[in-house]
Each structure stands twice: as C-alpha cells, then as structure tokens.
Amino acid sequence: MQAAAIGFRAKTGHAIAVALCGAVDEPALVWRRDVSLVDPAVPETSQPYHAVMDLPWPQALAAAERFVSAIEVVAADLLGTLVRELRSNGFAVRGIGVVGSPDRKLEKIGNPHIRAHGAEGVLFRRVLEKAAETNGIASRAFTEKDVAQCAMAELHVSRARLLSQLKRLGVEAGPPWRGEEKAAATAALLCLRNSAGSSARPDRRSRRTTRPKEAF
C-alpha cells in the first residue's frame, strides 16, 4: 500500500482536510475536503462553549463536557471513515497533522465571548489529535503561523520551493485553495515526510517553534 497522510486545519465546528501521497519532494493530492465535526443531534456541538458562556468558567467547563464528548465521538468516527476509505483505495495513512489554535490559559480571559471563541479554537484542534490516537495513528500539531517554518526546516526547502509545491497542489485541487487549505496540505506533507523513512519522530514541540510574521 502506498503511504499517505492527512492534514487538517481545524476550525470551529469543522475542518479543512487534505490527503497527500507519493514522494515528499513531489507529493500528489489524493483529495481536499471540508469535513464537519458537529453532531447533528446535538446543536450545541457547533459552538459548545458559546452555549455555556454565561456561566463562571469552572461551571462552563463542566456544563460543556457532554458536548465535548459528543464532538470527540464525531471526530473519531470521521477519521476512522477517512482512513478506511483511503485504505480501500490502496493507501495506508501513516500520520495526521493538525493545524489549529495553540493551548492558552483560558481562565485568564475575562470576556466570556472571547473566551468561548478561544476555547473552541483549542477544542477542535484537540479532538482531531485525540481522534488520531483513538484510531492508532501518529499525529502532530501545529499553529497556522508555525507550520510553514516547520516544513522549511524539516524538509530543507526554501519558502519559494514550499510555496511552489503548494501552488501545484492547489492547481490539482482546484478552488478554493486558501491559506487554510495550504496549512492543511503542509501539515500532511510533514507527516508524509515522517512516513517516508525519516528518523524524525512525530512530536508536539512544533507549537513552540519561533513563528514567522506570515505563514502563507
């Protein structure tokens, strides 16, 4: 089976997903999708912390837990479905890259509305990481600002070369091909690189990489 990797750009309630395969220096696009992370039977899963934002933060965390659990189930099932589909087409998913909001001290945010947005940004990244763990797949996490720098450092390519690869993949995918799709593709590329026999191990330290001013 040919090695493949999936990159996600996590958003509130959904994620942009890009699957890549082939050689790291000339990756091929398998597909690009916008996937839902919401349980249709539980409307609050679209914005779980907004649903409880009028409560004091500790109580809000407790009240949102059932929504979070529902989202985790959706994410795990979704990833399992994507992996099985790829496997049925001759691909073996070797890694999952998740681009999303970095961890924050949410309790320090005084404005309930801003805190709800912040909490959901972190949550939808984490549920995809947990989904990878549930499905027995290695994962890496990045912020949108550091994923490009990680790719340049680990793949030993210039920004121009990276952008050229992403542009080519965008032509294969067709529109839309925005910063979100590019970030997901870059995360997939990094995981594809690890699957191709690299000695680098997936880890979560990439979040602490010095951030460039602009990612894409």
Side-chain angles (χ1 to χ4, degrees):
M1 300 181 78
Q2 186 174 13
I6 304 174
F8 291 96
R9 174 56 172 106
K11 306 289 287 184
T12 298
H14 70 111
I16 306 300
V18 174
L20 300 180
C21 68
V24 178
D25 56 348
E26 289 294 335
L29 179 79
V30 182
W31 46 248
R32 179 273 321 282
R33 297 176 183 175
D34 190 329
V35 295
S36 175
L37 296 171
V38 173
D39 184 343
V42 187
E44 295 89 347
T45 55
S46 63
Q47 290 185 301
Y49 291 106
H50 277 72
V52 297
M53 69 180 182
D54 292 331
L55 297 173
W57 184 236
Q59 295 178 34
L61 284 174
E65 187 56 39
R66 64 188 181 95
F67 307 140
V68 171
S69 296
I71 295 167
E72 289 174 344
V73 171
V74 170
D77 288 348
L78 166 71
L79 183 56
T81 297
L82 295 177
V83 169
R84 287 191 296 274
E85 178 190 310
L86 286 166
R87 186 179 296 129
S88 70
N89 286 292
F91 298 103
V93 178
R94 304 302 189 191
I96 300 296
V98 185
V99 182
S101 298
D103 290 334
R104 305 173 62 183
K105 293 184 177 180
L106 297 165
E107 69 279 3
K108 301 293 185 182
I109 301 175
N111 184 297
H113 194 202
I114 294 175
R115 185 172 59 206
H117 278 294
E120 286 159 4
V122 174
L123 169 66
F124 283 98
R125 187 208 80 227
R126 285 181 175 174
V127 297
L128 287 166
E129 292 179 77
K130 185 169 183 179
E133 181 180 356
T134 299
N135 283 278
I137 302 172
S139 71
R140 296 187 67 179
F142 310 90
T143 69
E144 192 165 42
K145 291 184 177 181
D146 72 22
V147 66
Q149 183 167 333
C150 287
M152 288 185 289
E154 296 183 25
L155 303 177
H156 307 291
V157 296
S158 65
R159 180 175 292 275
R161 172 60 177 164
L162 176 61
L163 291 176
S164 176
Q165 284 186 322
L166 293 172
K167 182 177 180 180
R168 181 178 58 79
L169 290 169
V171 171
E172 290 184 49
W177 191 254
R178 305 154 296 188
E180 294 167 344
E181 285 81 9
K182 292 174 185 177
T186 305
L189 186 60
L190 281 159
C191 292
L192 189 64
R193 179 253 188 184
N194 286 338
S195 75
S198 166
S199 61
R201 290 185 176 182
D203 64 69
R204 308 190 190 282
R205 290 179 295 173
S206 53
R207 294 190 203 127
R208 297 196 292 273
T209 302
T210 302
R211 299 178 184 177
K213 292 182 179 179
E214 186 176 348
F216 299 109

